[in-house]
Every structure is written in C-alpha cells, then in structure tokens.
Amino acid sequence: MGQKVHPTGFRIGGIEPWRSRWYANKKDFPKLLMQDRKIREYIEKEFGSAGIPRIEIERSGEAVNVIIYTARPGVLVGRKGVRVEQLKLDLQKLTGMTCHLTLHEVKRPELESKLVAEVVAEALERRMAFRRAIKRAVQTTMQTGAKGIKIQINGRLGGAEMAREQTEREGRVPLSTLQSHIDYGTAIAKTTYGIIGVKVWIYKGEIERGKKIDFRQGLSMTRADRPQRGGSRGRK
C-alpha cells in the first residue's frame, strides 16, 4: 500500500493556516478540541445547503469567534437575519461561552474542493452516470480558472457487485510540492447500492515564499507556475 498524506495537514505551518486558532492548558485542551468538532458538525448538519467549504474557530478569553465561508450566505443568514441569530444562540448553548459569527462569501464555489465533491456526490445520488458526473465537474472547475484537478470515486459504481475506483484528472496536481496550493475535500454519496466516497484535489497555483493562503482572496495570492528548469526535466 502506498503511504497517503493529507494535503492540508502536509502544508500546515507552511502555506496553510490553522483552522482552529487558540491556546489552552493541558487540562482544558481536550474539552475545547471536542467543542470545535461539535461546532463544525452542528453547522454542517443544520446548514449543509448553504455550501460551506470551511469553518475556522478563534478563541480569546471567554469568547469564541466562528468564521464561516459560504457559497450561499442568504441561506445561512435567513430572512432579516433570523437564522444567523438563532445559530449564534445555539452555539452559545453548545459552548457555554459568548459566540461571535463572521461570514465570508465564497465568490467561486467551483474552485472549492469540498463543494465540488458535494456536487459530484449529489449527482451520483440522482443516479447520474458516474463518468459523466466527474467529467462535468472537471470541465467546470478547469473553465473557472483552476490549474489542475483530480477527482477519485470509490464504491459500487453503477451498481456493480464488486467495489472499484474511478479517477479523472486534468492539468497538474503537484502533491509533493509544499509551495503548491492544493485544496482537498471529500464527500459521500448515499446511493441505493451503498456509500460511494468522493475525493477532490484542486491545484490553484503556487504561493510565494513567506506568505500564507488567504481564503478570503481566493486565487489572488497565488502566482503563475514557475518555468521548469533543466531542459526535459518535468515533462510528461
């Protein structure tokens, strides 16, 4: 078996910022860590239709700031802000602390790996042909401005007796280069034949040395790929 490394965890501390930013002593750390997980699970369960690819959590003193990136902020806010106020109250009950919410709109959801994976999963649940579903997602993402994408699905594809794997790839996806901005996301499709797993890798460009990814800026902090050196090295 090949040894797999999570693309986000591989780059944390380099170009990837932490998704949870706070400090706690040894005694409180497990409790706060579980709180973070419950916050994310609750938001994804209650507001899954809002297209949420990322949730960041910051803590300071007795307050928690939850930063939500959403493709459909109107779904999250609700009419006259009713839903977002209710969410704030629910999170305060969950954590027992004062909660603040910060919303950021995702301008191009086609470049968010988690949202692309969810689109493919929904297509599989609607019984769309799996090859057609992943090819359509690849074309849409590449047309939006990605430099490369890989989609992998695994399970009883097409209702086959034996589970198998199907991969579609276009462009470059340099997983071993630490300066490469690789957005990785997963989703599951609950079909009548069983669960099908969906994994998506999107290559958005290269981050300049000394800088970190700013998710509010999308692709604006990335730069074009540097030219390959050494003549034929790097050719496919």
Side-chain angles (χ1 to χ4, degrees):
M1 291 264 321
Q3 302 302 309
K4 310 298 189 299
V5 179
H6 195 290
T8 303
F10 189 45
R11 291 167 175 81
I12 281 181
I15 63 171
E16 278 275 354
W18 290 90
R19 304 290 170 92
S20 292
R21 296 184 286 274
W22 45 267
Y23 175 80
N25 56 39
K26 200 170 184 179
K27 179 179 142 185
D28 296 331
F29 186 85
K31 181 184 74 172
L32 297 179
L33 189 65
M34 286 305 297
Q35 271 188 14
D36 282 10
R37 180 170 180 175
K38 288 177 181 177
I39 288 171
R40 290 189 170 95
E41 287 177 348
Y42 178 79
I43 294 173
E44 289 173 0
K45 179 183 176 183
E46 296 295 324
F47 299 93
S49 59
I52 301 174
R54 187 177 300 102
I55 299 170
E56 297 178 356
I57 299 172
E58 297 175 341
R59 296 176 185 270
S60 57
E62 294 300 315
V64 181
N65 183 26
V66 181
I67 304 168
I68 303 174
Y69 294 82
T70 171
R72 294 182 284 276
V75 175
L76 193 61
V77 173
R79 184 173 294 178
K80 296 182 180 178
V82 174
R83 295 195 74 187
V84 76
E85 288 299 323
Q86 185 60 46
L87 173 60
K88 191 183 294 185
L89 294 175
D90 293 341
L91 293 181
Q92 286 177 355
K93 289 180 184 177
L94 188 67
T95 61
M97 303 169 70
T98 304
C99 285
H100 305 288
L101 291 179
T102 306
L103 304 183
H104 291 295
E105 184 180 0
V106 176
K107 299 292 185 183
R108 290 181 283 185
E110 298 84 2
L111 292 177
E112 295 294 331
S113 58
K114 190 172 187 299
L115 299 184
V116 173
E118 288 174 357
V119 167
V120 174
E122 287 172 8
L124 295 175
E125 289 175 348
R126 295 197 309 268
R127 300 190 179 187
M128 181 185 289
F130 63 91
R131 288 191 183 89
R132 183 182 174 194
I134 59 178
K135 281 183 179 178
R136 176 184 291 181
V138 166
Q139 290 173 359
T140 303
T141 301
M142 292 300 291
Q143 288 170 2
T144 308
K147 298 182 183 302
I149 180 174
K150 182 170 83 167
I151 299 180
Q152 186 179 95
I153 58 176
N154 201 318
R156 293 183 60 186
L157 305 180
E161 288 289 329
M162 184 78 71
R164 61 195 178 97
E165 184 181 282
Q166 180 75 23
T167 304
E168 186 75 21
R169 179 172 179 167
E170 189 170 333
R172 292 182 61 234
V173 186
L175 298 179
S176 300
T177 307
L178 285 172
Q179 292 301 120
S180 300
H181 182 185
I182 303 291
D183 190 18
Y184 174 71
T186 61
I188 59 171
K190 297 179 180 178
T191 68
T192 54
Y193 302 109
I195 287 177
I196 296 176
V198 183
K199 297 179 181 179
V200 177
W201 295 259
I202 297 177
Y203 175 47
K204 299 183 180 182
E206 201 167 302
I207 303 295
E208 295 180 11
R209 291 191 180 278
K211 290 189 177 181
K212 289 186 182 291
I213 299 167
D214 186 353
F215 293 110
R216 289 168 292 181
Q217 299 296 326
L219 286 174
S220 63
M221 283 192 66
T222 61
R223 61 182 180 180
D225 295 337
R226 286 179 288 191
Q228 298 283 347
R229 295 179 182 177
S232 61
R233 181 184 289 178
R235 292 181 184 172
K236 293 183 180 179

